[in-house]
Amino acid sequence: MLNALVAYAAEEHADPNPLLPAWYDIIWSSVCFIVILVIFWKVALPRMKKLLDERSAAIEGNIAKADEAQRKAEAALEEYTAQLAEARQEAGEIRDAAREDGKKIVAEARETAAAEATRLTTTAHSQIEAERQTALVSLRSEVGSLALDLAGGVIGETLSDDKKAQAVVDRFLAELEESEGAKA
């Protein structure tokens, strides 16, 4: 058969068309093309399809993961926003409570200071009164002894009777206080 094709091809060489290849080239090219097409269809195309399906599945999986991550991020953002609002509210409540506590502390401090001032004033008054009484007693005894000494110097004798001397001094001081009370 090969010989027949070669003989047939040789007969047609009489008027060859430069644009058309010879018949044997067309046949062998067609056979090679069909073999390559079958190999491509049976081997390369399924592998390519498998590769594309894997890539498609990976891309869809990544998209699903991205969507899930997006949902989680949105949920976390909502939770964070809710926690932030709750924290702000709690901070406001703490601030208000602190203000109230501050007002109570200031009021208690004022009450304590007023009570302490009252106590100190009372203590100072009682101490002043005690010192006044002590000074008055001391002054009476000194004025009494001076008055007795002066009276003894005027009279020329010593007043030795303590009870009598004390009665004279008390009477003298009472008259002195009455005369000062009348002037005022």
Side-chain angles (χ1 to χ4, degrees):
M1 172 162 172
L2 194 55
N3 287 332
L5 283 175
V6 172
Y8 178 72
E11 288 176 9
E12 283 194 23
H13 278 298
D15 192 14
N17 185 357
L19 295 176
L20 287 175
W23 283 103
Y24 64 88
D25 284 338
I26 292 174
I27 292 172
W28 285 110
S29 296
S30 297
V31 169
C32 289
F33 178 74
I34 290 172
V35 168
I36 290 173
L37 183 65
V38 167
I39 291 173
F40 180 77
W41 193 270
K42 293 292 183 180
V43 176
L45 193 61
R47 287 185 184 173
M48 192 68 101
K49 186 175 180 183
K50 181 181 174 187
L51 179 67
L52 289 175
D53 287 343
E54 287 174 358
R55 285 195 75 168
S56 175
I59 289 171
E60 288 175 3
N62 288 341
I63 289 173
K65 287 178 185 176
D67 287 342
E68 181 65 27
Q70 180 70 24
R71 282 192 295 274
K72 286 181 181 178
E74 288 173 358
L77 179 62
E78 288 176 8
E79 182 179 342
Y80 171 74
T81 305
Q83 288 176 350
L84 184 61
E86 183 179 321
R88 284 183 179 159
Q89 181 182 5
E90 187 175 333
E93 291 171 0
I94 290 171
R95 187 175 47 248
D96 292 341
R99 284 183 183 147
E100 290 299 320
D101 288 345
K103 288 177 183 178
K104 288 178 184 176
I105 290 171
V106 167
E108 288 174 3
R110 284 183 181 158
E111 289 174 7
T112 304
E116 184 68 17
T118 304
R119 186 188 64 79
L120 288 175
T121 304
T122 306
T123 304
H125 283 296
S126 63
Q127 188 176 10
I128 290 171
E129 185 60 34
E131 287 178 5
R132 183 178 165 275
Q133 291 297 329
T134 304
L136 189 60
V137 168
S138 172
L139 185 63
R140 278 184 182 242
S141 67
E142 285 183 29
V143 169
S145 65
L146 280 175
L148 287 176
D149 287 342
L150 285 174
V154 170
I155 298 176
E157 63 183 69
T158 306
L159 299 172
S160 59
D161 189 12
D162 285 337
K163 288 186 179 180
K164 233 186 220 182
Q166 187 65 34
V168 169
V169 169
D170 286 342
R171 185 175 43 90
F172 175 72
L173 288 176
E175 289 175 3
L176 186 61
E177 286 176 0
E178 285 177 15
S179 66
E180 283 198 16
K183 288 181 184 177

